[in-house]
Amino acid sequence: MIAEKKRVFLGSIPFCFLFILLYVTNLLTPIYEQKIIDLEVKKGKVNIPHQTSSEKNLFSLKGDFHYTPNQFYSLKNGSEELYSKIPGSFSSKKQGSIYGYGSYGLELSGLDPSVIYAIQIPHVFASCSIVINGIDIGSQGQPGINRETETPGARSSQIAFRPLNDGTSDIIINVSNFFNLKGYISGPIILGEASQIGMMFRGALIFYGIIFAITFSVALFFFMLSFFHKQSSFVIWFALTSMVLGLRGIFFYPHIFVILFPDSSWWFNFIMRYVSVPLPIILFTVFLSKSLKLKYRIPYILILSVSILYAISTIVLPPKVSVFLLIYYQCFAIFCVIYIIVISIIGLKKKRELSAWIFTATSVLFLFGVYDLMIALGFITGEFMIQIGTVFAVIILSVKVLDDYAGSIKRMEDLSGEIRLINKSLIRFVPNQIVELLNKKSIIDVKLGDNVELTMPILSIDIRSFTHTSEKLAPNQVFELLNEYFALVAPIVRKYNGVITKYLGDGFFALFPDGADSALSCAIAIQIALAQNSIAAPNSSPLRIGIGIDMGDILLGTIGNSTRMDSIIISNSYHAAEVLQASTKKYSSCIIISDRIYDSLDDISEHYIRPIQKIKNTLNKDVFLYEVYDGDDDSIRDLKYSTQHYMENALKVLSTKGVEAAGKYFDKILEIFPNDYVALYYKKMFEKINLE
């Protein structure tokens, strides 16, 4: 628990800095040094209060503006007095339709002729042009008298002007709406000195720009994070949700996207505004399911299906239809939010890790979303605030997502450590070299029936008279003795890159991919190590071994079934190596190698090797078996070496000149080395032949 709290604390530090940055930006934004005074427009007229040179107030103008339907460039209707409220929609203009065109008029008085003023007109969600004192100064899109002549706008307007000499100004806003069901002037008109309006707009641009930068940076961070740890799939859905919410913010006031890309089409801006309504719901619903591992199938499918259909409709259907459907989708969005909150509450009850944080973030988004919905439905006026709510929700969730991500990495590391331990355990049953010989990267890649043909040395080793020794021991003593023996011998095999393929009680087989020199060096090292360590059973002499080494073709593969699989080696050399190992008993030798091993050695002169038996191979050629006596005591090794030429001659003449000629050489060997067991073996064999 302490470690988890520490992760949350450390993970929250960078996001706290983001909050501080946002707060400092708010403080430094010039609009906060200004006072905005609400002025009521009555019958299309408003008088601006006198200000001293030290005052830098802004004025919010709202109320009843002159309205002239079906006519542009009219300050006020000449036939009858008509007024329409700003902020307000076309439905209040007494023309019986939400679509149409006309002019809003405002008569300003009380202005200082020496001051340059500016007005900020919010986005009208249709199109408009601004005329001040009879001069066209700015526009949002291009108003028209019908659908064909209108081009909707995509941003708000900041227009500078100088009052007339008498301190008055007439402002006409030509408005048309033939595309948007909700076409209206969304907020009051802001009036003030041009420098103050500019500072206000730049401050808003910086503030909302930082909101976008924070949201998008966090989203991008988690998006990149998801590629490094794909097991935490909920992270990418959180990243995508944050990314869409961040992008949505730049298409609303202060219309950052349009400022950056002034040539972008109204159609693209419209699609991005409307498609960014269902997309966050889709992505956040999936994120909720992935992170809490909790969902109710029917509402889950319903939310995704309806949201996807509406997202598609905003792209393929005419804007008029998309806007018409929006009101119904906004009502459906309330159901989506309720589902999200319910799932979060259930997650809280089930003590799911992210549930409390998701509930908090969702509640924040819900409150801001309700506020925006009230504006969209016309119940209240103001600017959409969802992007501000978004950054709060994203940062709240980011802290916990980052903590959960760190926790998942910790769990992955623990699992990896456990897997490494399991792999180490598996290596004791299936050596890595076996996997490598099968040309596999890991044991998990090995499949039933995998096989490979190889040519390499095979070593067979066995303890002399072990059966007789073990009969005198208790079972636990037998295992202790064997484990002590294998603990000494097995590391030597690994040192020479050998692979123990099978244990056979007191012996084993081993392969040596590095060749004959490696196999022989290993055998000699084992012989010397046993002599130096004197491993023995209680009240018994030290263990003695026999080693046989042959070179041949082997077939290595896997057999068994889907539930139990084992590696197997098929080779005649297996049997040959075992026969050579058994021959060490006959000659009282320690190491016997075949002619194939002998011929494969890089430098025979590095070893003490003598022939001990001449046989016919499968091709009916004379070949020799060889005794390797590098590991014998120095005195014995010297005696064997001094008589080696007699041994070679004896074996050569044995098959050509017979027993009597060979016997003379063996006699000379025994004169020099009476305990040469190979010579003694042949002498006893010759005596039996003579008796017969």
Side-chain angles (χ1 to χ4, degrees):
M1 182 63 71
I2 295 174
E4 182 179 349
K5 289 181 178 178
K6 184 178 179 181
R7 285 202 310 269
V8 173
F9 173 74
L10 293 175
S12 64
I13 290 176
F15 299 108
C16 288
F17 279 116
L18 293 178
F19 271 122
I20 293 170
L21 175 63
L22 202 59
Y23 180 69
V24 170
T25 303
N26 281 344
L27 293 179
L28 297 178
T29 301
I31 190 172
Y32 289 95
E33 299 176 359
Q34 303 159 346
K35 181 179 180 181
I36 299 181
I37 299 174
D38 290 331
L39 294 180
E40 185 73 18
V41 178
K42 297 180 179 180
K43 294 186 177 182
K45 298 179 180 181
V46 65
N47 183 65
I48 306 302
H50 176 73
Q51 297 187 90
T52 64
S53 58
S54 61
E55 291 179 310
K56 296 182 180 298
N57 297 326
L58 299 177
F59 301 97
S60 174
L61 310 180
K62 54 186 176 182
D64 294 327
F65 282 60
H66 292 297
Y67 180 69
T68 305
N70 303 320
Q71 189 173 335
F72 290 144
Y73 296 97
S74 293
L75 179 65
K76 52 187 175 181
N77 190 14
S79 58
E80 62 175 317
E81 291 187 2
L82 291 178
Y83 303 99
S84 184
K85 289 190 177 296
I86 289 182
S89 63
F90 270 47
S91 60
S92 64
K93 299 180 185 107
K94 300 180 181 179
Q95 62 179 20
S97 173
I98 56 176
Y99 299 108
Y101 67 98
S103 300
Y104 290 89
L106 175 63
E107 298 177 72
L108 292 174
S109 60
L111 301 174
D112 185 346
S114 64
V115 174
I116 298 177
Y117 290 88
I119 58 171
Q120 176 172 291
I121 297 176
H123 185 207
V124 301
F125 293 99
S127 61
C128 75
S129 63
I130 298 96
V131 182
I132 300 179
N133 296 327
I135 302 172
D136 280 298
I137 299 181
S139 68
Q140 296 178 27
Q142 177 61 52
I145 60 173
N146 51 42
R147 186 181 179 87
E148 288 70 28
T149 56
E150 180 189 65
T151 302
R155 56 166 294 180
S156 57
S157 304
Q158 293 78 38
I159 307 298
F161 67 95
R162 186 182 292 276
L164 299 176
N165 293 332
D166 60 358
T168 64
S169 287
D170 294 335
I171 298 175
I172 299 172
I173 305 174
N174 299 317
V175 178
S176 70
N177 176 46
F178 293 97
F179 286 89
N180 200 330
L181 183 67
K182 294 185 174 298
Y184 65 103
I185 299 177
S186 59
I189 293 174
I190 306 298
L191 171 71
E193 290 188 17
S195 60
Q196 295 302 109
I197 292 290
M199 283 191 292
M200 182 192 74
F201 181 71
R202 286 192 297 274
L205 195 63
I206 293 171
F207 178 70
Y208 287 103
I210 288 179
I211 286 181
F212 165 72
I214 291 174
T215 308
F216 202 78
S217 297
V218 169
L220 196 60
F221 169 74
F222 282 103
F223 190 75
M224 295 176 67
L225 208 62
S226 66
F227 286 97
F228 291 100
H229 228 57
K230 296 183 180 179
Q231 293 87 342
S232 302
S233 60
F234 68 90
V235 175
I236 193 169
W237 293 102
F238 174 73
L240 290 172
T241 304
S242 304
M243 198 171 289
V244 171
L245 288 171
L247 286 172
R248 174 178 169 79
I250 67 173
F251 287 93
F252 289 86
Y253 180 80
H255 309 100
I256 297 172
F257 184 84
V258 180
I259 293 172
L260 294 175
F261 304 98
D263 295 330
S264 60
S265 68
W266 167 84
W267 172 250
F268 176 76
N269 282 270
F270 174 85
I271 289 178
M272 293 304 296
R273 279 172 173 269
Y274 280 78
V275 82
S276 62
V277 175
L279 276 184
I281 293 176
I282 295 169
L283 297 170
F284 194 81
T285 302
V286 177
F287 161 71
L288 195 70
S289 170
K290 298 283 186 182
S291 59
L292 297 183
K293 296 180 176 59
L294 185 66
K295 67 180 178 183
Y296 289 100
R297 185 176 180 82
I298 293 177
Y300 178 80
I301 294 175
L302 181 64
I303 289 171
L304 295 186
S305 301
V306 172
S307 299
I308 290 170
L309 284 174
Y310 180 71
I312 295 172
S313 73
T314 61
I315 300 172
V316 300
L317 296 179
K320 187 175 182 179
V321 178
S322 299
V323 175
F324 173 76
L325 294 175
L326 178 63
I327 182 62
Y328 298 102
Y329 184 77
Q330 287 172 330
C331 295
F332 178 75
I334 297 174
F335 163 75
C336 299
V337 173
I338 292 172
Y339 169 80
I340 291 171
I341 292 175
V342 168
I343 290 292
S344 302
I345 293 172
I346 294 172
L348 281 172
K349 290 182 178 180
K350 294 188 175 183
K351 298 181 178 179
R352 300 293 168 86
E353 291 187 18
L354 288 172
S355 54
W357 297 76
I358 289 174
F359 177 77
T360 304
T362 304
S363 300
V364 170
L365 278 175
F366 177 74
L367 293 174
F368 280 92
V370 168
Y371 176 80
D372 278 16
L373 184 61
M374 297 290 284
I375 293 175
L377 295 175
F379 295 139
I380 59 175
T381 60
E383 292 289 341
F384 291 118
M385 300 290 288
I386 191 66
Q387 56 265 49
I388 297 176
T390 295
V391 74
F392 280 99
V394 166
I395 290 179
I396 289 170
L397 268 178
S398 296
V399 175
K400 189 57 182 174
V401 169
L402 190 60
D403 170 68
D404 196 69
Y405 184 82
S408 68
I409 291 177
K410 179 66 168 58
R411 291 191 293 272
M412 296 292 181
E413 289 175 349
D414 293 341
L415 183 60
S416 296
E418 185 177 343
I419 290 173
R420 282 194 294 271
L421 290 175
I422 292 172
N423 284 337
K424 287 182 180 179
S425 299
L426 284 174
I427 288 170
R428 292 185 290 178
F429 295 94
V430 184
N432 267 340
Q433 293 96 324
I434 291 288
V435 177
E436 291 172 0
L437 290 174
L438 287 169
N439 297 318
K440 303 296 182 181
K441 293 181 180 179
S442 167
I443 192 171
I444 61 175
D445 298 323
V446 178
K447 297 181 178 61
L448 193 65
D450 287 340
N451 63 86
V452 64
E453 293 184 28
L454 303 165
T455 300
M456 65 178 63
I458 299 175
L459 180 149
S460 174
I461 186 171
D462 188 68
I463 300 174
R464 298 279 76 90
S465 305
F466 184 75
T467 303
H468 177 70
T469 302
S470 63
E471 289 173 351
K472 301 176 183 179
L473 304 175
N476 64 313
Q477 291 177 313
V478 174
F479 281 99
E480 287 176 2
L481 180 63
L482 284 174
N483 286 331
E484 184 181 1
Y485 162 69
F486 287 128
L488 175 67
V489 172
I492 298 174
V493 176
R494 289 194 294 272
K495 177 182 176 182
Y496 291 94
N497 200 30
V499 186
I500 297 176
T501 59
K502 186 170 293 186
Y503 285 96
L504 299 170
D506 59 329
F508 59 79
F509 288 101
L511 299 178
F512 289 85
D514 292 349
D517 289 278
S518 179
L520 182 55
S521 297
C522 177
I524 296 168
I526 291 173
Q527 181 186 1
I528 294 172
L530 281 172
Q532 292 173 345
N533 287 273
S534 299
I535 297 174
N539 303 317
S540 300
S541 57
L543 295 181
R544 294 183 301 108
I545 58 169
I547 299 175
I549 310 175
D550 188 34
M551 172 77 77
D553 298 328
I554 66 171
L555 179 62
L556 171 64
T558 56
I559 60 170
N561 55 46
S562 58
T563 58
R564 176 68 172 89
M565 188 169 62
D566 199 0
S567 61
I568 187 173
I569 295 175
I570 302 172
S571 175
N572 290 332
S573 296
Y574 247 130
H575 176 67
E578 192 171 24
V579 169
L580 293 175
Q581 174 263 115
S583 298
T584 59
K585 300 176 185 178
K586 180 169 62 175
Y587 297 114
S588 295
S589 301
C590 183
I591 303 170
I592 294 179
I593 64 175
S594 68
D595 63 305
R596 291 183 288 271
I597 293 293
Y598 182 84
D599 294 336
S600 299
L601 294 173
D602 291 336
D603 189 356
I604 299 171
S605 64
E606 290 184 357
H607 301 286
Y608 291 93
I609 304 175
R610 65 175 184 170
I612 58 173
Q613 185 179 355
K614 186 178 181 181
I615 60 174
K616 296 283 187 181
N617 65 10
T618 54
L619 299 176
N620 200 33
K621 290 184 178 180
D622 291 332
V623 294
F624 288 93
L625 301 183
Y626 298 87
E627 178 190 27
V628 180
Y629 55 97
D630 295 52
D632 289 2
D633 291 339
D634 292 347
S635 58
I636 294 175
R637 187 177 65 232
D638 292 342
L639 289 170
K640 286 183 178 181
Y641 184 73
S642 64
T643 61
Q644 182 166 324
H645 64 286
Y646 292 125
M647 183 70 70
E648 293 171 353
N649 290 331
L651 294 176
K652 286 179 182 178
V653 302
L654 180 60
S655 59
T656 57
K657 296 182 180 181
V659 171
E660 185 176 350
K664 293 178 181 179
Y665 287 108
F666 287 121
D667 289 337
K668 291 179 180 179
I669 293 172
L670 293 172
E671 288 175 7
I672 301 171
F673 182 23
N675 291 326
D676 190 319
Y677 289 105
V678 176
L680 288 172
Y681 168 79
Y682 277 104
K683 287 297 291 183
K684 289 179 182 179
M685 185 179 66
F686 292 165
E687 289 173 2
K688 288 181 181 180
I689 293 173
N690 290 332
L691 289 175
E692 293 175 356

